[in-house]
Amino acid sequence: MSSYDFFTQLPNQHDEYAALARSLEAAWQALINISQIELPRFVANKEQYASKIGILVDEFQERLEEKRIFTADAPFAGFVQKLAETDPARAAIALAYFLDFNLNNWDLNVAKGIQAAIDWERGLHGKAEHEGHILKKLKHRWDEEFNRQSKIAEKAQEHLDHLNNRSSQLIEAQQKRFDTSIAKYDQELKKSLEKTNAELENITRTYDESLALHASVRYWGLQEKYHKRMSIGFGAATIIVALGVLWGLYEYADYFLAADIRLLSRICG
C-alpha cells in the first residue's frame, strides 16, 4: 500500500487519479479485513482458520491476476516509485497503464505518463537493472525458502530415521518375546503331552486291570451259578435215587417177607 502513497502528493487530485487510488485502496482493504479482523476469530479452530487462509490466498491471487493490486515484487514497482519522486502525476498515469486502468480524459500529462511506461517496457529507464534486482531478490527468497525446506526435510528425515530405528528395536524385542513365548509354549506343550500320555497309560492299565478283575469275577460268578444249578440237580437226583432205592427196598422187603410168612404158614398149618 505504501507503493502508491504518492497519490496524496498530487495537487488537486484528478478524478481519474482518485478513482485509481480508491480502487487500489478498496482491493487492499478487503484483504486487510480478512487478515486482521476475520482470521483472528478462528485461530482456535484449525479447520476454519485454514479455510480462511485459503480464501485470503485465493482472493489475493485473484486481485493480482485482475491487476487490481500490485506488490513491491511487481516488475514496474521500482520504476513507478522512482518516477513518483520527481513527477507523481506521470507515476500515477504509468501505474494506471500497467494496471490496465481505464483513463477517459487525455491530456499532455497522460501522454507523458504513458510514454514513460512504454519507454520502460522497451528497456529504458533501467528496466533491465530493476528486473535483475527483482530476480535477485526472488532468487534470494527462493534460496531462503529452499534452505528452510531443506532443514525441515532434514529434521523430518532424522525423525523418520529415529522412528525406523525405534520400530526396528520394537520389532526385534517383539520377535524375542515371541520366540521366548514359542519356546515356553513348546516346553509346556511337551510336558502336557507327556503328562497326558502318562495319564492315558495309567487309565489304560487301570482299565485293563479292572477289566481283568471284572472278567474273573464274572467267570467265577458264572461258575458259582453253574455249580449251584448242578448241586441242586445232583441233590434232586440224589433224593429221587434215594427214594427209588428206599421204595425198591420196601417193595423187596414186602415181597420176600410176605413170601416167607406164607411159607411159614404152610409149614405150620
Side-chain angles (χ1 to χ4, degrees):
M1 293 175 62
S2 62
S3 298
Y4 57 88
D5 284 344
F6 64 86
F7 276 85
T8 60
Q9 302 174 16
L10 295 176
N12 299 324
Q13 284 193 10
H14 194 281
D15 289 343
E16 293 183 342
Y17 303 155
L20 176 59
R22 287 194 300 271
S23 175
L24 291 169
E25 184 73 24
W28 278 109
Q29 193 60 47
L31 297 175
I32 290 173
N33 289 338
I34 296 176
S35 62
Q36 296 183 2
I37 298 176
E38 295 186 22
L39 276 178
R41 294 185 300 171
F42 300 99
V43 173
N45 190 318
K46 293 183 179 180
E47 293 183 359
Q48 292 184 351
Y49 188 81
S51 176
K52 287 295 181 181
I53 289 291
I55 292 174
L56 177 63
V57 171
D58 292 341
E59 293 195 7
F60 184 86
Q61 187 64 34
E62 180 181 355
R63 283 165 174 73
L64 281 178
E65 292 175 355
E66 293 176 356
K67 296 184 178 181
R68 293 165 58 190
I69 60 173
F70 69 98
T71 68
D73 291 332
F76 55 82
F79 166 69
V80 172
Q81 282 289 333
K82 186 175 182 180
L83 186 61
E85 293 175 359
T86 57
D87 194 341
R90 278 203 301 168
I93 296 300
L95 181 59
Y97 173 82
F98 291 131
L99 297 179
D100 295 333
F101 190 79
N102 188 28
L103 297 174
N104 295 320
N105 299 320
W106 287 78
D107 56 21
L108 183 60
N109 287 331
V110 172
K112 288 181 179 179
I114 293 176
Q115 184 62 50
I118 293 174
D119 290 342
W120 179 84
E121 287 183 336
R122 291 167 56 190
L124 303 178
H125 307 297
K127 176 183 178 181
E129 180 181 354
H130 179 71
E131 288 185 342
H133 178 67
I134 293 297
L135 289 175
K136 288 180 180 179
K137 287 175 61 178
L138 183 61
K139 180 179 181 300
H140 179 69
R141 287 169 56 185
W142 276 106
D143 289 341
E144 289 181 345
E145 181 65 18
F146 177 78
N147 292 332
R148 188 178 72 86
Q149 294 293 340
S150 296
K151 291 179 180 178
I152 293 175
E154 290 176 359
K155 290 182 179 179
Q157 185 63 44
E158 291 177 358
H159 183 63
L160 180 61
D161 293 339
H162 174 72
L163 291 177
N164 287 334
N165 185 36
R166 180 59 178 163
S167 62
S168 299
Q169 293 177 353
L170 291 174
I171 292 173
E172 184 178 356
Q174 188 66 25
Q175 184 65 41
K176 289 181 179 178
R177 286 195 294 268
F178 178 76
D179 294 339
T180 302
S181 298
I182 290 296
K184 183 178 179 181
Y185 174 77
D186 288 340
Q187 293 178 356
E188 292 179 353
L189 180 60
K190 185 177 180 180
K191 291 179 180 179
S192 179
L193 289 175
E194 291 176 352
K195 181 179 178 181
T196 302
N197 290 332
E199 291 177 352
L200 183 60
E201 290 178 359
N202 292 333
I203 292 172
T204 303
R205 184 170 57 254
T206 302
Y207 176 77
D208 291 341
E209 292 175 355
S210 177
L211 184 63
L213 180 60
H214 177 72
S216 299
V217 171
R218 186 171 182 274
Y219 171 77
W220 290 113
L222 293 175
Q223 291 296 320
E224 179 187 6
K225 291 180 180 179
Y226 172 75
H227 287 288
K228 187 175 181 179
R229 287 195 300 270
M230 291 298 293
S231 62
I232 293 173
F234 279 114
T238 302
I239 292 172
I240 293 172
V241 171
L243 291 175
V245 171
L246 291 174
W247 182 77
L249 290 174
Y250 173 77
E251 289 293 329
Y252 176 79
D254 183 65
Y255 176 79
F256 283 101
L257 286 175
D260 289 340
I261 292 172
R262 285 192 300 268
L263 178 61
L264 182 59
S265 297
R266 287 176 184 174
I267 295 175
C268 291

